[in-house]
Amino acid sequence: MLSFSGVVKRYAQPEGEVTVLGGVDLSIAAGEAVALLGESGSGKSTLLHLAAGLDAPDAGRITVGGQTLAAMDDRALAALRRGTVSLVFQQFHLIGTLSVADNIRFQAALCGRLDTAFEVELIDRLGLRTQLDKYPHQLSGGQQQRVAIARALLHRPALVLADEPTGNLDERSSGAVMALFHDLVKAAGSALLMVTHSREMADYLDRRLWLRDGRLHDDAS
Amino acid sequence: MTPAEPERLGGVVRALLSHYWRHPWQAVFLLAGLVAGVALWSAVQIINSHARASYAEADFVLGAQATHWIRSRSGDGIAQADYIALRRAGFRQVFPVVQARVSTVDNAPLAIIATDLLALPEGMAGEGGDALGDADLDWLAFVRAPYQAWFPAAMADELGVAEGQQLTLRDGRRLPPALIAAREQQGRQIFMDVGAALSLLGRDTFTALAVGPISPDTAARLAAALPGDLMLEANQQRLDLTQLTASLHTQLTAMSLLSFAVGLFIVFNAVRFSLWYRRPTLRTLRLVGVSVRALTLAIVTETLVWSVVGCALGLLAGLGISHALLPSVSASLQNLYGAVVGADLLLDPVTIAIAWGMTLIGLAFALAWPLLLQLRGPVLPGGSASAGMLAEARARRVLLIGAGVLALAAVGVYWQMASVIEGFVLLGLVLFAAAWALPQALASAHRLLGRALAGAPLVQRWIVSDGWAQLPALRTAMMALLLALTANLGVETLVGSFRTALAGWLDQRIGADIYVNSAQLDTRGFVADPANAGWLATGHARTGVTLRWQGRPTKVYGLDTTTPDTRALPLAQSEPDALARWAGGERLILANEQAHYLGGLRLGQTVTLPTYGGATDYTVVGFFHDYGNPYYQFYLPREALARGWRDVSSTGLALWLKPGVSAETAEAALVAAGVQPGEWFAQGDIKRLSMRIFDRTFAMTAAMNTLTLLVAGAALLTALLAILHERLPEFAQWRALGVTRRELLRVIAVPLALFVTLTWLAAIPLGALLSWLLIHDLNVMSFGWSMPMLWSPTPALKLGLLSAAIVALVLVIVLSQLTRKLPQAMAQLGSAQ
Amino acid sequence: MKAVFLLLMALLVGPASAQGDPYQVLRSTGEGYASVVPGRVFEFPADHLPHPDYRIEWWYLTANLKDDAGRHWGLQWTLFRQAMSPATDTEGWDSNQIWMAHAAITTPDGHRHEQRFARGGVGHAEVRLENGAFAAWLDDWLLTGDGAAMLPGRLRFTVGEAVIDMQLASDTPPVLQGKSGYSQKSAQGQASYYYSQPHIAVSGSVTLDGKPTTLTGTGWLDREWSSQPLADNQQGWDWFSLHLADGHALMVYRLRHDDGKHWLSGSWVAPDGSARTLAADEIELTVLDTRRVRTPSSANPEATRDLPLAWRVSLPGLKREWTVRALIDDQWMGGRFPYWEGVVLVDEGASGVGYLELTGYGR
């Protein structure tokens, strides 16, 4: 579903150029859930951005669903993000001028894939049934994150990229949301690459990768 | 305050101001608003005070004071022998003045003024500093054939006259070689030697004699020494001009204040944005323990810094703009009032002080007050998006209530209105009531649209609903746009209506084929001469006297009641059958509208005029339109005028040609009768000349309108850039959700287009209301002219297109910014704020 | 020869004065104008009238007067004519003639002066016969003859508030200066036509502040016209016209040269009007005293100049010698073209009175 081969990413810093990713190879199969762990600043988010085509690598090749990102223009990348790849961030970025119901449907509406039965399932399982007519600013942080999750999954994207999706929530609710999130990703049939710094969160998933010194490692060793 | 505080204050000010270092374009917009507002206001102030200073010199002629004038009662001009006799009798204060209007080949009017430099009182009094001491002046060449024609630089530019060139007039005569130079009080006139002027004009009489400062005794002796046809009159021009032009200056000031207000909108926009950015800075400063007092002082300091910088730059720009606008204002003043305005502009301390004061007050409202409000709030933000939306809704409600109060005040003022200044207060109230009501109107319209779209696809609803996110930032820009559009539409309609009324009036009034104004011609004899019967259908020889009525110069004309122009005299108001009764009646008089609106005269009232036999009462039976005339004017039948005044002078002759007769036949007959070329005008020429004068007169208005619209466009740009920068992370997130760039542009453009369209729609009826007030109240109070209001959709459509163009331009700028900045924002998505 | 500089400065030096030597224009050749040649036959009264073919011309009257108390008074009245071009004179504003007039009065209380300008051709200023009588005027400054001759006649003018009305008469013929009226001004041939009337009986009144004072005394008239009177190296002059107690009249002048070799000339006129021209070697002029005089102008109200106001005038051939001293220092003609001209006493008044003119003294 997602593959990196020999991906290199460098950033210009005041102290000189820093190599964040020094030749990363990665392969995630369809429906597979992978946790990406690592220290702060190890380049986890960068890797995720590259996977979503939000940023371009300095070397190497990234493919999503068999398509090479480097070969895609802006329009094709937008199409990829609206239909194939969903992003869930620590900040929820709900659309303030739309109702909760409209926010949930937003991405599905963009790509024109609305599965009403799945929508009912998502809303019910995320406990948003009573919130549908409200506006984002009327919800709590946890509720907003649930809306963001529903929005990301409703159109059953092939790949979900999540960056600390529960980072803004307290520990207890974050555990519950995390479990639910994992279940729903499975229900949507999506592959998942999730950045986290929590081993506990990572344990929910099929596979764990560590990013250290710009390279991926299979275990904590 | 502890001793350490001052040092700390410096740090706090630096911390606050460092914001502008990091975001220089915010400083640019803040300054742009201040500079635009101050510049337009001060430009008009500079022009006004300059014009007033020129009126103070109105009793000077070409650098010499003229306390009195000697004029001919019969209008024949002053014989040279009479002038020489006065000089030889020891009246050395008397000097000759020749003034004339001629026209260029393409029929532009030119004013000529001439005198004898050697005869000016004290003209050559000392070594330097006198009339001939001017180092530029080769006065020997000036007084000697081929003479010199002095063109002020601005006039030379307009006419395309180069130094040494001899301008050819319409009738083929040529002016003396041009010199690009100007004397005091020359104004927009061409100055030359009296000998040059007399030979150019083919005259042998002076227009008038000016009299320098004289004692009352000498004045009495002088009056006694004058031959019968000449009279000595005190020069009241200074007083007259000050009175006559007051309205025009009030109008200019009002327009400049509007510009200042629009400039302040830009400041509001810029500040709103900088507030948003500086919230963390203020918070941090509070958290590290800086006292509210120190922060307040720092904010006051910042306000002072901006006011000084903005005001100084604004005044400089204002000086530049005033230089650019001066020619059109001078043209207005000279065309409307005959006021001569010089070319040197100066900033006086009062203007500087007022400009600074206004800037400071504006900044206090736009910058200091919101900053202080923020200070008063809690140290840690409890503010959420919902609080922001609630605050926005509350702000709209407060503005709406304010608008209601202003509207009520406007109604109150309307019933009480008596002066031009009150009229402009009314206009200001109406404009600002509308502007303050606009945000709520936009919100309501937007809500209605949202409801109408309830069943529409989500993406469409999303694009439209984003207006709610934009409205807070666009609010002030839309208010500025409304003001600019309304002012433009109102003034356009006024000018258009006036132009149409003037053209129609000219068509009615200028019905004859040829108009002659010649001192040489015996007008009645010429009309009666059987030799002219072959080509002449009718002639109308008018007579007139000049006197003062209600303290103002007033002309009473004697009309031939049988000629076509008199029989079709367009009356604005009249008693039944007025013209016929007036023509046959005793002691019935027609007055111009000015006498009605400004002089307070009503139909059926009597006017008391000083006739030869003593004060005589005349009853007013009608008021005629008299556009462009700042003076009162009355019409009597010619016989009635002759009965009342002995020293009536001929004031012109209108000639109707028989069908098929060529103008050349008539012109040949005129030349044979001693009329000089240039002393007659064909009908078409007069109309063209009048319309040209009209257009020149309103050039200033058009210039101010354009500038106001540009300022509003700048406000729009700042607002959109603010939106762009505040919401860049949000836009990046949307892109991450798969929103295309085109959809993003639509999100920005559609609500904007919606608001601009709504604002434009609101401006149309408001503009009509404004022009209605301008035409029916202000114009009448200012000038005493009434006219029908002519509303046309063309200006609204033109402004709509112009607004669309401005929006498009602004969008292009925003889009290019977006394209440049979005990739980085996308790369930073998800990272902590 | 008096005031040649003044006239030319007044009428030719417009803006050029700012650019270098104003005197340069005075040395132009006068081409196109009639030239001054020896042997001209003078005719009176016709020669009292203008000679417009020549570039410059003046009518120059001074008078030394006394009131009943024996106090010294002085009058100066001058009319200058200048042709702006060599064209034939025409009537009307196109006339190429320009006029300037100076007037001054020295009273026991001080000195006052005034200047005026006028265009020719329109009657503002003229010299001509009016109803057969001589008339010269600018505004209301007026010199009239009883007949076609200038004298006997009447002079009326004002200086500020002072009103002057004088009767003039003479019973001696005009004195033709130089060689029968041909007055050479330099070795290079510059010259003018020049005649004088040094014996004029003057009487009349001066009304000052509404109070008339009766005055009597003697006057001096100079008439001169030329087209190119000055040489390259002449900077200014010192000029004396003296009425001596014994009835003689003396005119002497020196044109100051750059090199100190001044041009001196003069004439010695007997009481009966018979005159003899004085050659350069017959005249000695010595400065006895230089005075700091206030010479205010509108540009510099505090200006002063050092002027030679006391002289020894010697005619060694005639074995005559006088001390000539200004009556008062302050007789500065501070107009547009300033100079010093005023009443002088000969041997403190014992030997006579006169007028002295000093030009070309810089600040």
Side-chain angles (χ1 to χ4, degrees), chain B residues 80 87-88 92 124-125 127-128 130 132 147 193, chain C residues 93-94 115-117 119 137 139 297-298 335-336:
Chain B
Q80 295 187 39
R87 294 289 300 212
R88 290 194 65 183
R92 292 185 47 247
M124 310 201 17
E127 307 159 70
D130 52 48
L132 303 180
Y147 300 106
D193 180 63
Chain C
W93 293 97
D94 286 341
Q115 63 176 350
R116 297 182 179 185
F117 296 85
R119 304 276 283 278
W137 74 88
D139 290 334
S297 65
S298 54
R336 184 171 177 84

PDB file of all heavy atoms in Angstrom, chain B residues 80 87-88 92 124-125 127-128 130 132 147 193, chain C residues 93-94 115-117 119 137 139 297-298 335-336:
ATOM      1  N   GLN B  80      -7.582 106.362 -22.669  1.00  0.00           N
ATOM      2  CA  GLN B  80      -6.207 106.595 -22.239  1.00  0.00           C
ATOM      3  C   GLN B  80      -5.996 108.048 -21.817  1.00  0.00           C
ATOM      4  O   GLN B  80      -5.263 108.339 -20.882  1.00  0.00           O
ATOM      5  CB  GLN B  80      -5.242 106.225 -23.363  1.00  0.00           C
ATOM      6  CG  GLN B  80      -5.283 104.742 -23.684  1.00  0.00           C
ATOM      7  CD  GLN B  80      -4.202 104.354 -24.674  1.00  0.00           C
ATOM      8  OE1 GLN B  80      -3.089 104.847 -24.598  1.00  0.00           O
ATOM      9  NE2 GLN B  80      -4.547 103.474 -25.593  1.00  0.00           N
ATOM     10  N   ARG B  87      -3.044 111.007 -14.043  1.00  0.00           N
ATOM     11  CA  ARG B  87      -1.628 110.946 -13.651  1.00  0.00           C
ATOM     12  C   ARG B  87      -1.055 112.361 -13.605  1.00  0.00           C
ATOM     13  O   ARG B  87      -0.340 112.727 -12.671  1.00  0.00           O
ATOM     14  CB  ARG B  87      -0.817 110.099 -14.636  1.00  0.00           C
ATOM     15  CG  ARG B  87      -1.158 108.633 -14.676  1.00  0.00           C
ATOM     16  CD  ARG B  87      -0.732 107.858 -13.453  1.00  0.00           C
ATOM     17  NE  ARG B  87       0.682 107.878 -13.179  1.00  0.00           N
ATOM     18  CZ  ARG B  87       1.351 106.861 -12.599  1.00  0.00           C
ATOM     19  NH1 ARG B  87       0.725 105.737 -12.271  1.00  0.00           N
ATOM     20  NH2 ARG B  87       2.632 106.970 -12.343  1.00  0.00           N
ATOM     21  N   ARG B  88      -1.377 113.162 -14.603  1.00  0.00           N
ATOM     22  CA  ARG B  88      -0.796 114.503 -14.643  1.00  0.00           C
ATOM     23  C   ARG B  88      -1.393 115.391 -13.556  1.00  0.00           C
ATOM     24  O   ARG B  88      -0.792 116.403 -13.179  1.00  0.00           O
ATOM     25  CB  ARG B  88      -0.985 115.129 -16.027  1.00  0.00           C
ATOM     26  CG  ARG B  88      -0.108 114.446 -17.071  1.00  0.00           C
ATOM     27  CD  ARG B  88      -0.020 115.230 -18.345  1.00  0.00           C
ATOM     28  NE  ARG B  88       0.649 116.524 -18.174  1.00  0.00           N
ATOM     29  CZ  ARG B  88       0.804 117.418 -19.146  1.00  0.00           C
ATOM     30  NH1 ARG B  88       0.332 117.160 -20.362  1.00  0.00           N
ATOM     31  NH2 ARG B  88       1.421 118.565 -18.932  1.00  0.00           N
ATOM     32  N   ARG B  92      -0.947 109.525  -8.667  1.00  0.00           N
ATOM     33  CA  ARG B  92       0.034 108.528  -9.091  1.00  0.00           C
ATOM     34  C   ARG B  92      -0.323 107.124  -8.613  1.00  0.00           C
ATOM     35  O   ARG B  92       0.304 106.161  -8.977  1.00  0.00           O
ATOM     36  CB  ARG B  92       1.419 108.910  -8.576  1.00  0.00           C
ATOM     37  CG  ARG B  92       1.948 110.156  -9.253  1.00  0.00           C
ATOM     38  CD  ARG B  92       3.356 110.438  -8.814  1.00  0.00           C
ATOM     39  NE  ARG B  92       4.177 109.248  -8.853  1.00  0.00           N
ATOM     40  CZ  ARG B  92       4.686 108.656  -7.788  1.00  0.00           C
ATOM     41  NH1 ARG B  92       4.483 109.157  -6.593  1.00  0.00           N
ATOM     42  NH2 ARG B  92       5.422 107.579  -7.914  1.00  0.00           N
ATOM     43  N   MET B 124       8.934 101.077  -8.676  1.00  0.00           N
ATOM     44  CA  MET B 124      10.384 101.041  -8.841  1.00  0.00           C
ATOM     45  C   MET B 124      11.043 101.764  -7.688  1.00  0.00           C
ATOM     46  O   MET B 124      12.048 102.428  -7.839  1.00  0.00           O
ATOM     47  CB  MET B 124      10.758 101.672 -10.189  1.00  0.00           C
ATOM     48  CG  MET B 124       9.918 101.062 -11.272  1.00  0.00           C
ATOM     49  SD  MET B 124      10.450 101.125 -12.966  1.00  0.00           S
ATOM     50  CE  MET B 124      12.135 101.485 -12.985  1.00  0.00           C
ATOM     51  N   ALA B 125      10.449 101.562  -6.519  1.00  0.00           N
ATOM     52  CA  ALA B 125      10.815 102.389  -5.376  1.00  0.00           C
ATOM     53  C   ALA B 125      12.286 102.319  -4.996  1.00  0.00           C
ATOM     54  O   ALA B 125      12.905 103.331  -4.717  1.00  0.00           O
ATOM     55  CB  ALA B 125       9.977 102.001  -4.174  1.00  0.00           C
ATOM     56  N   GLU B 127      16.237  99.924  -4.641  1.00  0.00           N
ATOM     57  CA  GLU B 127      17.153  99.004  -5.307  1.00  0.00           C
ATOM     58  C   GLU B 127      16.704  97.599  -4.969  1.00  0.00           C
ATOM     59  O   GLU B 127      16.938  97.129  -3.885  1.00  0.00           O
ATOM     60  CB  GLU B 127      18.576  99.214  -4.810  1.00  0.00           C
ATOM     61  CG  GLU B 127      19.031 100.635  -4.907  1.00  0.00           C
ATOM     62  CD  GLU B 127      20.188 100.897  -3.962  1.00  0.00           C
ATOM     63  OE1 GLU B 127      21.272 100.386  -4.226  1.00  0.00           O
ATOM     64  OE2 GLU B 127      19.991 101.586  -2.956  1.00  0.00           O
ATOM     65  N   GLY B 128      16.045  96.930  -5.860  1.00  0.00           N
ATOM     66  CA  GLY B 128      15.581  95.570  -5.597  1.00  0.00           C
ATOM     67  C   GLY B 128      14.331  95.581  -4.764  1.00  0.00           C
ATOM     68  O   GLY B 128      13.987  96.580  -4.143  1.00  0.00           O
ATOM     69  N   ASP B 130      11.304  95.636  -5.610  1.00  0.00           N
ATOM     70  CA  ASP B 130      10.161  96.336  -6.155  1.00  0.00           C
ATOM     71  C   ASP B 130       9.692  95.648  -7.434  1.00  0.00           C
ATOM     72  O   ASP B 130      10.161  94.579  -7.795  1.00  0.00           O
ATOM     73  CB  ASP B 130      10.524  97.784  -6.437  1.00  0.00           C
ATOM     74  CG  ASP B 130      11.777  97.869  -7.269  1.00  0.00           C
ATOM     75  OD1 ASP B 130      11.851  97.153  -8.270  1.00  0.00           O
ATOM     76  OD2 ASP B 130      12.684  98.630  -6.899  1.00  0.00           O
ATOM     77  N   LEU B 132      10.196  96.092 -10.461  1.00  0.00           N
ATOM     78  CA  LEU B 132      11.165  95.840 -11.519  1.00  0.00           C
ATOM     79  C   LEU B 132      12.442  95.215 -10.985  1.00  0.00           C
ATOM     80  O   LEU B 132      13.373  94.970 -11.731  1.00  0.00           O
ATOM     81  CB  LEU B 132      11.505  97.146 -12.244  1.00  0.00           C
ATOM     82  CG  LEU B 132      10.296  97.861 -12.825  1.00  0.00           C
ATOM     83  CD1 LEU B 132      10.732  99.131 -13.521  1.00  0.00           C
ATOM     84  CD2 LEU B 132       9.549  96.964 -13.773  1.00  0.00           C
ATOM     85  N   TYR B 147       7.332  92.320 -27.367  1.00  0.00           N
ATOM     86  CA  TYR B 147       6.761  92.110 -26.032  1.00  0.00           C
ATOM     87  C   TYR B 147       6.951  90.666 -25.544  1.00  0.00           C
ATOM     88  O   TYR B 147       7.594  89.855 -26.204  1.00  0.00           O
ATOM     89  CB  TYR B 147       5.267  92.470 -25.984  1.00  0.00           C
ATOM     90  CG  TYR B 147       4.984  93.915 -26.330  1.00  0.00           C
ATOM     91  CD1 TYR B 147       4.431  94.263 -27.554  1.00  0.00           C
ATOM     92  CD2 TYR B 147       5.286  94.926 -25.425  1.00  0.00           C
ATOM     93  CE1 TYR B 147       4.169  95.587 -27.874  1.00  0.00           C
ATOM     94  CE2 TYR B 147       5.025  96.262 -25.733  1.00  0.00           C
ATOM     95  CZ  TYR B 147       4.469  96.579 -26.963  1.00  0.00           C
ATOM     96  OH  TYR B 147       4.216  97.879 -27.267  1.00  0.00           O
ATOM     97  N   ASP B 193       2.383  93.249 -21.214  1.00  0.00           N
ATOM     98  CA  ASP B 193       2.405  94.700 -21.125  1.00  0.00           C
ATOM     99  C   ASP B 193       1.093  95.258 -21.664  1.00  0.00           C
ATOM    100  O   ASP B 193       0.469  94.697 -22.567  1.00  0.00           O
ATOM    101  CB  ASP B 193       3.576  95.246 -21.927  1.00  0.00           C
ATOM    102  CG  ASP B 193       3.615  96.753 -21.861  1.00  0.00           C
ATOM    103  OD1 ASP B 193       3.800  97.288 -20.756  1.00  0.00           O
ATOM    104  OD2 ASP B 193       3.430  97.408 -22.908  1.00  0.00           O
TER     105      ASP B 193
ATOM    106  N   TRP C  93       1.854 103.192 -27.366  1.00  0.00           N
ATOM    107  CA  TRP C  93       2.579 102.302 -26.464  1.00  0.00           C
ATOM    108  C   TRP C  93       3.786 101.663 -27.135  1.00  0.00           C
ATOM    109  O   TRP C  93       4.664 101.137 -26.464  1.00  0.00           O
ATOM    110  CB  TRP C  93       1.651 101.210 -25.928  1.00  0.00           C
ATOM    111  CG  TRP C  93       0.592 101.742 -25.022  1.00  0.00           C
ATOM    112  CD1 TRP C  93      -0.686 102.052 -25.352  1.00  0.00           C
ATOM    113  CD2 TRP C  93       0.733 102.066 -23.637  1.00  0.00           C
ATOM    114  NE1 TRP C  93      -1.363 102.538 -24.269  1.00  0.00           N
ATOM    115  CE2 TRP C  93      -0.520 102.554 -23.198  1.00  0.00           C
ATOM    116  CE3 TRP C  93       1.781 101.983 -22.716  1.00  0.00           C
ATOM    117  CZ2 TRP C  93      -0.747 102.962 -21.882  1.00  0.00           C
ATOM    118  CZ3 TRP C  93       1.557 102.388 -21.414  1.00  0.00           C
ATOM    119  CH2 TRP C  93       0.307 102.877 -20.997  1.00  0.00           C
ATOM    120  N   ASP C  94       3.800 101.688 -28.471  1.00  0.00           N
ATOM    121  CA  ASP C  94       4.942 101.109 -29.168  1.00  0.00           C
ATOM    122  C   ASP C  94       6.156 102.045 -29.170  1.00  0.00           C
ATOM    123  O   ASP C  94       7.214 101.677 -29.679  1.00  0.00           O
ATOM    124  CB  ASP C  94       4.571 100.778 -30.613  1.00  0.00           C
ATOM    125  CG  ASP C  94       3.695  99.547 -30.680  1.00  0.00           C
ATOM    126  OD1 ASP C  94       3.700  98.789 -29.681  1.00  0.00           O
ATOM    127  OD2 ASP C  94       3.014  99.360 -31.689  1.00  0.00           O
ATOM    128  N   GLN C 115      11.829 109.266  -6.937  1.00  0.00           N
ATOM    129  CA  GLN C 115      12.105 108.933  -8.337  1.00  0.00           C
ATOM    130  C   GLN C 115      10.827 108.430  -8.994  1.00  0.00           C
ATOM    131  O   GLN C 115       9.944 107.897  -8.338  1.00  0.00           O
ATOM    132  CB  GLN C 115      13.160 107.832  -8.419  1.00  0.00           C
ATOM    133  CG  GLN C 115      12.661 106.543  -7.779  1.00  0.00           C
ATOM    134  CD  GLN C 115      13.622 105.393  -7.915  1.00  0.00           C
ATOM    135  OE1 GLN C 115      14.602 105.485  -8.644  1.00  0.00           O
ATOM    136  NE2 GLN C 115      13.342 104.318  -7.219  1.00  0.00           N
ATOM    137  N   ARG C 116      10.732 108.607 -10.284  1.00  0.00           N
ATOM    138  CA  ARG C 116       9.564 108.133 -11.023  1.00  0.00           C
ATOM    139  C   ARG C 116       9.989 107.616 -12.383  1.00  0.00           C
ATOM    140  O   ARG C 116      11.031 107.994 -12.910  1.00  0.00           O
ATOM    141  CB  ARG C 116       8.560 109.275 -11.221  1.00  0.00           C
ATOM    142  CG  ARG C 116       8.013 109.786  -9.919  1.00  0.00           C
ATOM    143  CD  ARG C 116       7.007 110.865 -10.149  1.00  0.00           C
ATOM    144  NE  ARG C 116       6.480 111.335  -8.872  1.00  0.00           N
ATOM    145  CZ  ARG C 116       5.494 112.218  -8.770  1.00  0.00           C
ATOM    146  NH1 ARG C 116       4.964 112.733  -9.876  1.00  0.00           N
ATOM    147  NH2 ARG C 116       5.060 112.585  -7.592  1.00  0.00           N
ATOM    148  N   PHE C 117       9.116 106.763 -12.959  1.00  0.00           N
ATOM    149  CA  PHE C 117       9.377 106.206 -14.288  1.00  0.00           C
ATOM    150  C   PHE C 117       8.115 106.332 -15.136  1.00  0.00           C
ATOM    151  O   PHE C 117       7.007 106.377 -14.608  1.00  0.00           O
ATOM    152  CB  PHE C 117       9.746 104.725 -14.189  1.00  0.00           C
ATOM    153  CG  PHE C 117      11.025 104.482 -13.442  1.00  0.00           C
ATOM    154  CD1 PHE C 117      11.035 104.382 -12.051  1.00  0.00           C
ATOM    155  CD2 PHE C 117      12.221 104.373 -14.128  1.00  0.00           C
ATOM    156  CE1 PHE C 117      12.216 104.167 -11.364  1.00  0.00           C
ATOM    157  CE2 PHE C 117      13.408 104.148 -13.441  1.00  0.00           C
ATOM    158  CZ  PHE C 117      13.405 104.051 -12.055  1.00  0.00           C
ATOM    159  N   ARG C 119       6.466 105.456 -19.430  1.00  0.00           N
ATOM    160  CA  ARG C 119       6.629 105.105 -20.833  1.00  0.00           C
ATOM    161  C   ARG C 119       6.479 106.350 -21.681  1.00  0.00           C
ATOM    162  O   ARG C 119       5.679 107.233 -21.360  1.00  0.00           O
ATOM    163  CB  ARG C 119       5.540 104.112 -21.251  1.00  0.00           C
ATOM    164  CG  ARG C 119       5.498 102.877 -20.421  1.00  0.00           C
ATOM    165  CD  ARG C 119       6.510 101.886 -20.939  1.00  0.00           C
ATOM    166  NE  ARG C 119       6.004 101.248 -22.139  1.00  0.00           N
ATOM    167  CZ  ARG C 119       5.173 100.226 -22.129  1.00  0.00           C
ATOM    168  NH1 ARG C 119       4.772  99.746 -20.988  1.00  0.00           N
ATOM    169  NH2 ARG C 119       4.764  99.689 -23.257  1.00  0.00           N
ATOM    170  N   TRP C 137       7.354 117.067 -18.552  1.00  0.00           N
ATOM    171  CA  TRP C 137       6.681 116.522 -17.372  1.00  0.00           C
ATOM    172  C   TRP C 137       6.809 115.009 -17.264  1.00  0.00           C
ATOM    173  O   TRP C 137       7.078 114.325 -18.237  1.00  0.00           O
ATOM    174  CB  TRP C 137       5.196 116.913 -17.381  1.00  0.00           C
ATOM    175  CG  TRP C 137       4.351 116.170 -18.372  1.00  0.00           C
ATOM    176  CD1 TRP C 137       3.725 114.992 -18.160  1.00  0.00           C
ATOM    177  CD2 TRP C 137       4.042 116.551 -19.715  1.00  0.00           C
ATOM    178  NE1 TRP C 137       3.041 114.595 -19.284  1.00  0.00           N
ATOM    179  CE2 TRP C 137       3.212 115.548 -20.253  1.00  0.00           C
ATOM    180  CE3 TRP C 137       4.382 117.660 -20.514  1.00  0.00           C
ATOM    181  CZ2 TRP C 137       2.731 115.591 -21.551  1.00  0.00           C
ATOM    182  CZ3 TRP C 137       3.888 117.703 -21.809  1.00  0.00           C
ATOM    183  CH2 TRP C 137       3.077 116.677 -22.328  1.00  0.00           C
ATOM    184  N   ASP C 139       4.165 112.565 -14.875  1.00  0.00           N
ATOM    185  CA  ASP C 139       3.042 112.734 -13.945  1.00  0.00           C
ATOM    186  C   ASP C 139       2.836 114.230 -13.704  1.00  0.00           C
ATOM    187  O   ASP C 139       2.784 115.009 -14.654  1.00  0.00           O
ATOM    188  CB  ASP C 139       3.286 111.997 -12.616  1.00  0.00           C
ATOM    189  CG  ASP C 139       3.238 110.476 -12.770  1.00  0.00           C
ATOM    190  OD1 ASP C 139       2.561 109.996 -13.699  1.00  0.00           O
ATOM    191  OD2 ASP C 139       3.890 109.779 -11.975  1.00  0.00           O
ATOM    192  N   SER C 297      19.375 101.335   1.532  1.00  0.00           N
ATOM    193  CA  SER C 297      18.591 100.864   0.391  1.00  0.00           C
ATOM    194  C   SER C 297      17.604  99.850   0.942  1.00  0.00           C
ATOM    195  O   SER C 297      17.721  99.418   2.084  1.00  0.00           O
ATOM    196  CB  SER C 297      19.496 100.187  -0.637  1.00  0.00           C
ATOM    197  OG  SER C 297      20.067  99.020  -0.077  1.00  0.00           O
ATOM    198  N   SER C 298      16.635  99.482   0.130  1.00  0.00           N
ATOM    199  CA  SER C 298      15.650  98.510   0.637  1.00  0.00           C
ATOM    200  C   SER C 298      16.331  97.176   0.908  1.00  0.00           C
ATOM    201  O   SER C 298      15.934  96.429   1.795  1.00  0.00           O
ATOM    202  CB  SER C 298      14.497  98.337  -0.353  1.00  0.00           C
ATOM    203  OG  SER C 298      15.023  97.994  -1.621  1.00  0.00           O
ATOM    204  N   GLY C 335      17.729 105.959  -4.609  1.00  0.00           N
ATOM    205  CA  GLY C 335      16.665 105.328  -5.404  1.00  0.00           C
ATOM    206  C   GLY C 335      17.117 104.013  -5.985  1.00  0.00           C
ATOM    207  O   GLY C 335      17.973 103.322  -5.441  1.00  0.00           O
ATOM    208  N   ARG C 336      16.512 103.661  -7.098  1.00  0.00           N
ATOM    209  CA  ARG C 336      16.862 102.417  -7.760  1.00  0.00           C
ATOM    210  C   ARG C 336      18.305 102.466  -8.236  1.00  0.00           C
ATOM    211  O   ARG C 336      18.984 101.457  -8.265  1.00  0.00           O
ATOM    212  CB  ARG C 336      15.912 102.223  -8.939  1.00  0.00           C
ATOM    213  CG  ARG C 336      16.110 100.933  -9.660  1.00  0.00           C
ATOM    214  CD  ARG C 336      14.987 100.732 -10.654  1.00  0.00           C
ATOM    215  NE  ARG C 336      15.211  99.526 -11.411  1.00  0.00           N
ATOM    216  CZ  ARG C 336      14.872  98.310 -10.996  1.00  0.00           C
ATOM    217  NH1 ARG C 336      14.296  98.181  -9.829  1.00  0.00           N
ATOM    218  NH2 ARG C 336      15.104  97.261 -11.732  1.00  0.00           N
TER     219      ARG C 336
END
